[in-house]
Amino acid sequence: MTGRAALRLGRLRRVTPEGRAGQPAEARGARPRRRGAQPKVVALGGGMGLSASLAALRRITGDLTAVVTVADDGGSSGRLRDELGVLPPGDLRKALAALCGDDDWGQTWARVIQHRFQSQGDLHEHAVGNLLIVALWEQLGDHVQALDLVGRLLGAQGRVLPMSAVPLELQALVKGHDPARPDEVDTVRGQATVALTPGEVQSVHVVPHDPPAVPEAVAAVRDADWVVLGPGSWFSSVIPHLLVPELLDALTETKARLVLSLNLAPQPGETDGFSPQRHLEVLARHAPKLALDVVLADEAAVPDRDSLTDAAKGFGAAVELAPVARTDGSPRHDPELLAAAYDRIFRMHGRIGPWR
């Protein structure tokens, strides 16, 4: 831990709701923490938000599983998906890269799988890791086995799983998608389009409407000590996990404690103008039975702490405020500061063991 992270760890503040309207882990009969053992942690999300969470979590536990959205339809992933009918590999690749160690082996392989070809031909902008993952899917015929093999090759400090066994199409109801008709609601199709929509996203759903979950992902959530949801693109990376019925059932029935990690800033287009509490409100509309234990937010990104606390009450959650952003002014998480915040949360709820 750097001196900066150590100093700021002590500044983590807890805002506890007066009442707990939801059913947090204690009410669900959470299993006691195993003295001396590392916590089993499952992180859900996609894209750079999930990568930030994984880069932090791998610093504090060796028992880490990423469950990744499979609705991406843009860039290299979209092209491979359209041409070969495979799951979009991009977010899975990013998660694997985030789990690579800080030694020469890990960082070299992280750079290799993230490398994109630059050419005037068909390989332009394809990521090496995407091609490797798809090749192994075709060779082995098994999504999970192939990703486990890539993880071993990279020396990844955790496991990466797709949330569903089939590629999903994200669809959103958007008010004002057409600026000429600001009061009309249109259906916008495709994750890449939803993420950049100029209108206000009302709700999202996936096609097929009842997608099969990957059994290993469901089992990981049910067996976890902690589940971390977010940060990330709210409608296109975070909420889609709640639209897979078997995965949502696991999240509502698990004895694990659940942490929701909020973004540092609204995302232009998708959540433009959203307050921190607004993020919780739309989450509740998509999964009204979901209970949370902790809502983690950067203290500088919460102008109205009382409103956020009130919104967290609906989930039965306490609010944890901590400095988790990089100091360069960019809306990105600092891996060590985020790790310190997660570790403090785990310790406050009984986890025993050193932060590494």
PDB file of all heavy atoms in Angstrom, residues 247-277:
ATOM      1  N   LEU A 247     -29.386 -15.584 -12.829  1.00  0.00           N
ATOM      2  CA  LEU A 247     -28.381 -14.789 -12.135  1.00  0.00           C
ATOM      3  C   LEU A 247     -29.037 -13.856 -11.127  1.00  0.00           C
ATOM      4  O   LEU A 247     -28.536 -13.680 -10.007  1.00  0.00           O
ATOM      5  CB  LEU A 247     -27.567 -13.993 -13.158  1.00  0.00           C
ATOM      6  CG  LEU A 247     -26.238 -13.395 -12.694  1.00  0.00           C
ATOM      7  CD1 LEU A 247     -25.348 -14.452 -12.064  1.00  0.00           C
ATOM      8  CD2 LEU A 247     -25.537 -12.720 -13.861  1.00  0.00           C
ATOM      9  N   LEU A 248     -30.177 -13.272 -11.492  1.00  0.00           N
ATOM     10  CA  LEU A 248     -30.902 -12.420 -10.547  1.00  0.00           C
ATOM     11  C   LEU A 248     -31.385 -13.238  -9.354  1.00  0.00           C
ATOM     12  O   LEU A 248     -31.300 -12.785  -8.202  1.00  0.00           O
ATOM     13  CB  LEU A 248     -32.086 -11.743 -11.241  1.00  0.00           C
ATOM     14  CG  LEU A 248     -32.956 -10.857 -10.343  1.00  0.00           C
ATOM     15  CD1 LEU A 248     -32.134  -9.743  -9.699  1.00  0.00           C
ATOM     16  CD2 LEU A 248     -34.121 -10.272 -11.135  1.00  0.00           C
ATOM     17  N   ASP A 249     -31.887 -14.447  -9.607  1.00  0.00           N
ATOM     18  CA  ASP A 249     -32.306 -15.310  -8.489  1.00  0.00           C
ATOM     19  C   ASP A 249     -31.136 -15.579  -7.556  1.00  0.00           C
ATOM     20  O   ASP A 249     -31.286 -15.547  -6.322  1.00  0.00           O
ATOM     21  CB  ASP A 249     -32.855 -16.637  -9.022  1.00  0.00           C
ATOM     22  CG  ASP A 249     -34.221 -16.492  -9.681  1.00  0.00           C
ATOM     23  OD1 ASP A 249     -34.876 -15.452  -9.465  1.00  0.00           O
ATOM     24  OD2 ASP A 249     -34.623 -17.424 -10.401  1.00  0.00           O
ATOM     25  N   ALA A 250     -29.959 -15.844  -8.126  1.00  0.00           N
ATOM     26  CA  ALA A 250     -28.786 -16.101  -7.292  1.00  0.00           C
ATOM     27  C   ALA A 250     -28.422 -14.873  -6.472  1.00  0.00           C
ATOM     28  O   ALA A 250     -28.065 -14.988  -5.288  1.00  0.00           O
ATOM     29  CB  ALA A 250     -27.608 -16.519  -8.173  1.00  0.00           C
ATOM     30  N   LEU A 251     -28.534 -13.690  -7.068  1.00  0.00           N
ATOM     31  CA  LEU A 251     -28.196 -12.463  -6.352  1.00  0.00           C
ATOM     32  C   LEU A 251     -29.172 -12.170  -5.219  1.00  0.00           C
ATOM     33  O   LEU A 251     -28.793 -11.604  -4.191  1.00  0.00           O
ATOM     34  CB  LEU A 251     -28.167 -11.279  -7.327  1.00  0.00           C
ATOM     35  CG  LEU A 251     -26.976 -11.228  -8.281  1.00  0.00           C
ATOM     36  CD1 LEU A 251     -27.217 -10.212  -9.389  1.00  0.00           C
ATOM     37  CD2 LEU A 251     -25.696 -10.892  -7.523  1.00  0.00           C
ATOM     38  N   THR A 252     -30.425 -12.515  -5.405  1.00  0.00           N
ATOM     39  CA  THR A 252     -31.424 -12.244  -4.362  1.00  0.00           C
ATOM     40  C   THR A 252     -31.449 -13.333  -3.288  1.00  0.00           C
ATOM     41  O   THR A 252     -31.918 -13.093  -2.174  1.00  0.00           O
ATOM     42  CB  THR A 252     -32.820 -12.102  -4.976  1.00  0.00           C
ATOM     43  OG1 THR A 252     -33.138 -13.278  -5.742  1.00  0.00           O
ATOM     44  CG2 THR A 252     -32.894 -10.888  -5.884  1.00  0.00           C
ATOM     45  N   GLU A 253     -30.926 -14.515  -3.601  1.00  0.00           N
ATOM     46  CA  GLU A 253     -30.982 -15.629  -2.658  1.00  0.00           C
ATOM     47  C   GLU A 253     -29.647 -15.936  -1.985  1.00  0.00           C
ATOM     48  O   GLU A 253     -29.611 -16.633  -0.974  1.00  0.00           O
ATOM     49  CB  GLU A 253     -31.480 -16.891  -3.383  1.00  0.00           C
ATOM     50  CG  GLU A 253     -32.913 -16.770  -3.893  1.00  0.00           C
ATOM     51  CD  GLU A 253     -33.303 -17.901  -4.830  1.00  0.00           C
ATOM     52  OE1 GLU A 253     -32.476 -18.844  -5.001  1.00  0.00           O
ATOM     53  OE2 GLU A 253     -34.424 -17.872  -5.379  1.00  0.00           O
ATOM     54  N   THR A 254     -28.537 -15.428  -2.525  1.00  0.00           N
ATOM     55  CA  THR A 254     -27.228 -15.733  -1.961  1.00  0.00           C
ATOM     56  C   THR A 254     -27.103 -15.224  -0.531  1.00  0.00           C
ATOM     57  O   THR A 254     -27.730 -14.218  -0.155  1.00  0.00           O
ATOM     58  CB  THR A 254     -26.106 -15.126  -2.819  1.00  0.00           C
ATOM     59  OG1 THR A 254     -24.844 -15.507  -2.264  1.00  0.00           O
ATOM     60  CG2 THR A 254     -26.198 -13.607  -2.879  1.00  0.00           C
ATOM     61  N   LYS A 255     -26.285 -15.903   0.242  1.00  0.00           N
ATOM     62  CA  LYS A 255     -25.989 -15.438   1.593  1.00  0.00           C
ATOM     63  C   LYS A 255     -24.797 -14.482   1.606  1.00  0.00           C
ATOM     64  O   LYS A 255     -24.395 -13.999   2.666  1.00  0.00           O
ATOM     65  CB  LYS A 255     -25.718 -16.636   2.505  1.00  0.00           C
ATOM     66  CG  LYS A 255     -26.958 -17.493   2.742  1.00  0.00           C
ATOM     67  CD  LYS A 255     -26.673 -18.647   3.680  1.00  0.00           C
ATOM     68  CE  LYS A 255     -27.930 -19.480   3.908  1.00  0.00           C
ATOM     69  NZ  LYS A 255     -27.679 -20.633   4.820  1.00  0.00           N
ATOM     70  N   ALA A 256     -24.250 -14.212   0.442  1.00  0.00           N
ATOM     71  CA  ALA A 256     -23.147 -13.254   0.354  1.00  0.00           C
ATOM     72  C   ALA A 256     -23.630 -11.846   0.663  1.00  0.00           C
ATOM     73  O   ALA A 256     -24.817 -11.527   0.500  1.00  0.00           O
ATOM     74  CB  ALA A 256     -22.551 -13.287  -1.051  1.00  0.00           C
ATOM     75  N   ARG A 257     -22.703 -11.015   1.097  1.00  0.00           N
ATOM     76  CA  ARG A 257     -22.999  -9.599   1.239  1.00  0.00           C
ATOM     77  C   ARG A 257     -22.759  -8.923  -0.106  1.00  0.00           C
ATOM     78  O   ARG A 257     -21.834  -9.281  -0.828  1.00  0.00           O
ATOM     79  CB  ARG A 257     -22.129  -8.974   2.330  1.00  0.00           C
ATOM     80  CG  ARG A 257     -22.498  -9.459   3.734  1.00  0.00           C
ATOM     81  CD  ARG A 257     -21.525  -8.918   4.766  1.00  0.00           C
ATOM     82  NE  ARG A 257     -22.034  -9.125   6.116  1.00  0.00           N
ATOM     83  CZ  ARG A 257     -21.857 -10.233   6.829  1.00  0.00           C
ATOM     84  NH1 ARG A 257     -21.192 -11.245   6.290  1.00  0.00           N
ATOM     85  NH2 ARG A 257     -22.341 -10.350   8.041  1.00  0.00           N
ATOM     86  N   LEU A 258     -23.596  -7.924  -0.427  1.00  0.00           N
ATOM     87  CA  LEU A 258     -23.542  -7.266  -1.730  1.00  0.00           C
ATOM     88  C   LEU A 258     -23.090  -5.819  -1.587  1.00  0.00           C
ATOM     89  O   LEU A 258     -23.619  -5.070  -0.745  1.00  0.00           O
ATOM     90  CB  LEU A 258     -24.914  -7.303  -2.416  1.00  0.00           C
ATOM     91  CG  LEU A 258     -25.230  -8.551  -3.260  1.00  0.00           C
ATOM     92  CD1 LEU A 258     -25.368  -9.781  -2.370  1.00  0.00           C
ATOM     93  CD2 LEU A 258     -26.504  -8.349  -4.058  1.00  0.00           C
ATOM     94  N   VAL A 259     -22.112  -5.433  -2.405  1.00  0.00           N
ATOM     95  CA  VAL A 259     -21.630  -4.060  -2.470  1.00  0.00           C
ATOM     96  C   VAL A 259     -21.955  -3.495  -3.844  1.00  0.00           C
ATOM     97  O   VAL A 259     -21.669  -4.132  -4.860  1.00  0.00           O
ATOM     98  CB  VAL A 259     -20.106  -3.980  -2.251  1.00  0.00           C
ATOM     99  CG1 VAL A 259     -19.627  -2.529  -2.349  1.00  0.00           C
ATOM    100  CG2 VAL A 259     -19.724  -4.573  -0.920  1.00  0.00           C
ATOM    101  N   LEU A 260     -22.554  -2.325  -3.878  1.00  0.00           N
ATOM    102  CA  LEU A 260     -22.763  -1.602  -5.127  1.00  0.00           C
ATOM    103  C   LEU A 260     -21.748  -0.474  -5.172  1.00  0.00           C
ATOM    104  O   LEU A 260     -21.727   0.393  -4.298  1.00  0.00           O
ATOM    105  CB  LEU A 260     -24.180  -1.033  -5.192  1.00  0.00           C
ATOM    106  CG  LEU A 260     -24.497  -0.223  -6.456  1.00  0.00           C
ATOM    107  CD1 LEU A 260     -24.545  -1.145  -7.679  1.00  0.00           C
ATOM    108  CD2 LEU A 260     -25.815   0.529  -6.313  1.00  0.00           C
ATOM    109  N   SER A 261     -20.904  -0.491  -6.202  1.00  0.00           N
ATOM    110  CA  SER A 261     -19.869   0.529  -6.347  1.00  0.00           C
ATOM    111  C   SER A 261     -20.301   1.535  -7.401  1.00  0.00           C
ATOM    112  O   SER A 261     -20.480   1.187  -8.575  1.00  0.00           O
ATOM    113  CB  SER A 261     -18.539  -0.129  -6.751  1.00  0.00           C
ATOM    114  OG  SER A 261     -17.487   0.797  -6.750  1.00  0.00           O
ATOM    115  N   LEU A 262     -20.505   2.779  -6.992  1.00  0.00           N
ATOM    116  CA  LEU A 262     -21.018   3.809  -7.891  1.00  0.00           C
ATOM    117  C   LEU A 262     -19.907   4.406  -8.756  1.00  0.00           C
ATOM    118  O   LEU A 262     -18.723   4.389  -8.398  1.00  0.00           O
ATOM    119  CB  LEU A 262     -21.686   4.923  -7.089  1.00  0.00           C
ATOM    120  CG  LEU A 262     -22.980   4.545  -6.369  1.00  0.00           C
ATOM    121  CD1 LEU A 262     -23.499   5.740  -5.569  1.00  0.00           C
ATOM    122  CD2 LEU A 262     -24.047   4.065  -7.346  1.00  0.00           C
ATOM    123  N   ASN A 263     -20.319   4.962  -9.876  1.00  0.00           N
ATOM    124  CA  ASN A 263     -19.376   5.610 -10.790  1.00  0.00           C
ATOM    125  C   ASN A 263     -18.901   6.941 -10.212  1.00  0.00           C
ATOM    126  O   ASN A 263     -19.550   7.541  -9.340  1.00  0.00           O
ATOM    127  CB  ASN A 263     -20.035   5.834 -12.146  1.00  0.00           C
ATOM    128  CG  ASN A 263     -20.358   4.529 -12.849  1.00  0.00           C
ATOM    129  OD1 ASN A 263     -19.704   3.517 -12.623  1.00  0.00           O
ATOM    130  ND2 ASN A 263     -21.366   4.551 -13.713  1.00  0.00           N
ATOM    131  N   LEU A 264     -17.782   7.406 -10.746  1.00  0.00           N
ATOM    132  CA  LEU A 264     -17.224   8.676 -10.295  1.00  0.00           C
ATOM    133  C   LEU A 264     -17.922   9.867 -10.926  1.00  0.00           C
ATOM    134  O   LEU A 264     -17.883  10.978 -10.388  1.00  0.00           O
ATOM    135  CB  LEU A 264     -15.734   8.727 -10.621  1.00  0.00           C
ATOM    136  CG  LEU A 264     -14.879   7.659  -9.930  1.00  0.00           C
ATOM    137  CD1 LEU A 264     -13.458   7.703 -10.472  1.00  0.00           C
ATOM    138  CD2 LEU A 264     -14.883   7.873  -8.425  1.00  0.00           C
ATOM    139  N   ALA A 265     -18.555   9.646 -12.082  1.00  0.00           N
ATOM    140  CA  ALA A 265     -19.222  10.731 -12.798  1.00  0.00           C
ATOM    141  C   ALA A 265     -20.269  10.119 -13.721  1.00  0.00           C
ATOM    142  O   ALA A 265     -20.154   8.953 -14.111  1.00  0.00           O
ATOM    143  CB  ALA A 265     -18.224  11.550 -13.603  1.00  0.00           C
ATOM    144  N   PRO A 266     -21.313  10.876 -14.079  1.00  0.00           N
ATOM    145  CA  PRO A 266     -22.273  10.379 -15.065  1.00  0.00           C
ATOM    146  C   PRO A 266     -21.586  10.111 -16.394  1.00  0.00           C
ATOM    147  O   PRO A 266     -20.593  10.757 -16.736  1.00  0.00           O
ATOM    148  CB  PRO A 266     -23.289  11.530 -15.179  1.00  0.00           C
ATOM    149  CG  PRO A 266     -23.114  12.339 -13.939  1.00  0.00           C
ATOM    150  CD  PRO A 266     -21.661  12.219 -13.580  1.00  0.00           C
ATOM    151  N   GLN A 267     -22.120   9.146 -17.143  1.00  0.00           N
ATOM    152  CA  GLN A 267     -21.561   8.839 -18.452  1.00  0.00           C
ATOM    153  C   GLN A 267     -22.279   9.659 -19.510  1.00  0.00           C
ATOM    154  O   GLN A 267     -23.505   9.615 -19.616  1.00  0.00           O
ATOM    155  CB  GLN A 267     -21.724   7.348 -18.753  1.00  0.00           C
ATOM    156  CG  GLN A 267     -21.171   6.948 -20.109  1.00  0.00           C
ATOM    157  CD  GLN A 267     -21.293   5.457 -20.346  1.00  0.00           C
ATOM    158  OE1 GLN A 267     -21.423   4.673 -19.418  1.00  0.00           O
ATOM    159  NE2 GLN A 267     -21.267   5.061 -21.618  1.00  0.00           N
ATOM    160  N   PRO A 268     -21.549  10.424 -20.319  1.00  0.00           N
ATOM    161  CA  PRO A 268     -22.200  11.215 -21.373  1.00  0.00           C
ATOM    162  C   PRO A 268     -23.072  10.334 -22.254  1.00  0.00           C
ATOM    163  O   PRO A 268     -22.660   9.265 -22.690  1.00  0.00           O
ATOM    164  CB  PRO A 268     -21.013  11.794 -22.157  1.00  0.00           C
ATOM    165  CG  PRO A 268     -19.894  11.827 -21.164  1.00  0.00           C
ATOM    166  CD  PRO A 268     -20.094  10.616 -20.305  1.00  0.00           C
ATOM    167  N   GLY A 269     -24.295  10.766 -22.459  1.00  0.00           N
ATOM    168  CA  GLY A 269     -25.244   9.985 -23.237  1.00  0.00           C
ATOM    169  C   GLY A 269     -26.073   9.098 -22.351  1.00  0.00           C
ATOM    170  O   GLY A 269     -27.214   9.422 -21.995  1.00  0.00           O
ATOM    171  N   GLU A 270     -25.504   7.995 -21.888  1.00  0.00           N
ATOM    172  CA  GLU A 270     -26.269   6.967 -21.179  1.00  0.00           C
ATOM    173  C   GLU A 270     -26.850   7.438 -19.857  1.00  0.00           C
ATOM    174  O   GLU A 270     -28.011   7.171 -19.545  1.00  0.00           O
ATOM    175  CB  GLU A 270     -25.372   5.748 -20.963  1.00  0.00           C
ATOM    176  CG  GLU A 270     -26.111   4.541 -20.419  1.00  0.00           C
ATOM    177  CD  GLU A 270     -25.221   3.309 -20.378  1.00  0.00           C
ATOM    178  OE1 GLU A 270     -24.488   3.062 -21.364  1.00  0.00           O
ATOM    179  OE2 GLU A 270     -25.257   2.595 -19.367  1.00  0.00           O
ATOM    180  N   THR A 271     -26.055   8.119 -19.036  1.00  0.00           N
ATOM    181  CA  THR A 271     -26.546   8.583 -17.731  1.00  0.00           C
ATOM    182  C   THR A 271     -26.244  10.067 -17.547  1.00  0.00           C
ATOM    183  O   THR A 271     -26.022  10.520 -16.424  1.00  0.00           O
ATOM    184  CB  THR A 271     -25.931   7.771 -16.579  1.00  0.00           C
ATOM    185  OG1 THR A 271     -24.496   7.823 -16.679  1.00  0.00           O
ATOM    186  CG2 THR A 271     -26.380   6.322 -16.632  1.00  0.00           C
ATOM    187  N   ASP A 272     -26.251  10.804 -18.609  1.00  0.00           N
ATOM    188  CA  ASP A 272     -25.935  12.228 -18.539  1.00  0.00           C
ATOM    189  C   ASP A 272     -26.874  12.934 -17.562  1.00  0.00           C
ATOM    190  O   ASP A 272     -28.099  12.811 -17.660  1.00  0.00           O
ATOM    191  CB  ASP A 272     -26.066  12.850 -19.931  1.00  0.00           C
ATOM    192  CG  ASP A 272     -25.303  14.160 -20.046  1.00  0.00           C
ATOM    193  OD1 ASP A 272     -24.421  14.393 -19.201  1.00  0.00           O
ATOM    194  OD2 ASP A 272     -25.591  14.931 -20.971  1.00  0.00           O
ATOM    195  N   GLY A 273     -26.301  13.654 -16.597  1.00  0.00           N
ATOM    196  CA  GLY A 273     -27.103  14.385 -15.631  1.00  0.00           C
ATOM    197  C   GLY A 273     -27.587  13.581 -14.443  1.00  0.00           C
ATOM    198  O   GLY A 273     -28.271  14.118 -13.568  1.00  0.00           O
ATOM    199  N   PHE A 274     -27.239  12.291 -14.364  1.00  0.00           N
ATOM    200  CA  PHE A 274     -27.687  11.452 -13.250  1.00  0.00           C
ATOM    201  C   PHE A 274     -26.942  11.822 -11.969  1.00  0.00           C
ATOM    202  O   PHE A 274     -25.722  11.963 -11.955  1.00  0.00           O
ATOM    203  CB  PHE A 274     -27.432   9.981 -13.546  1.00  0.00           C
ATOM    204  CG  PHE A 274     -28.534   9.303 -14.320  1.00  0.00           C
ATOM    205  CD1 PHE A 274     -29.239   9.972 -15.291  1.00  0.00           C
ATOM    206  CD2 PHE A 274     -28.856   7.975 -14.076  1.00  0.00           C
ATOM    207  CE1 PHE A 274     -30.256   9.356 -16.010  1.00  0.00           C
ATOM    208  CE2 PHE A 274     -29.856   7.337 -14.779  1.00  0.00           C
ATOM    209  CZ  PHE A 274     -30.560   8.029 -15.753  1.00  0.00           C
ATOM    210  N   SER A 275     -27.666  11.932 -10.873  1.00  0.00           N
ATOM    211  CA  SER A 275     -27.068  12.054  -9.555  1.00  0.00           C
ATOM    212  C   SER A 275     -26.737  10.645  -9.044  1.00  0.00           C
ATOM    213  O   SER A 275     -27.224   9.644  -9.591  1.00  0.00           O
ATOM    214  CB  SER A 275     -28.054  12.719  -8.597  1.00  0.00           C
ATOM    215  OG  SER A 275     -29.202  11.884  -8.435  1.00  0.00           O
ATOM    216  N   PRO A 276     -25.914  10.529  -7.998  1.00  0.00           N
ATOM    217  CA  PRO A 276     -25.644   9.197  -7.442  1.00  0.00           C
ATOM    218  C   PRO A 276     -26.922   8.464  -7.038  1.00  0.00           C
ATOM    219  O   PRO A 276     -27.067   7.267  -7.308  1.00  0.00           O
ATOM    220  CB  PRO A 276     -24.765   9.497  -6.231  1.00  0.00           C
ATOM    221  CG  PRO A 276     -24.047  10.751  -6.606  1.00  0.00           C
ATOM    222  CD  PRO A 276     -25.076  11.565  -7.366  1.00  0.00           C
ATOM    223  N   GLN A 277     -27.860   9.180  -6.421  1.00  0.00           N
ATOM    224  CA  GLN A 277     -29.099   8.518  -5.996  1.00  0.00           C
ATOM    225  C   GLN A 277     -29.963   8.100  -7.174  1.00  0.00           C
ATOM    226  O   GLN A 277     -30.707   7.115  -7.087  1.00  0.00           O
ATOM    227  CB  GLN A 277     -29.891   9.405  -5.032  1.00  0.00           C
ATOM    228  CG  GLN A 277     -30.235  10.780  -5.521  1.00  0.00           C
ATOM    229  CD  GLN A 277     -29.181  11.807  -5.155  1.00  0.00           C
ATOM    230  OE1 GLN A 277     -28.016  11.463  -4.936  1.00  0.00           O
ATOM    231  NE2 GLN A 277     -29.585  13.075  -5.100  1.00  0.00           N
TER     232      GLN A 277
END
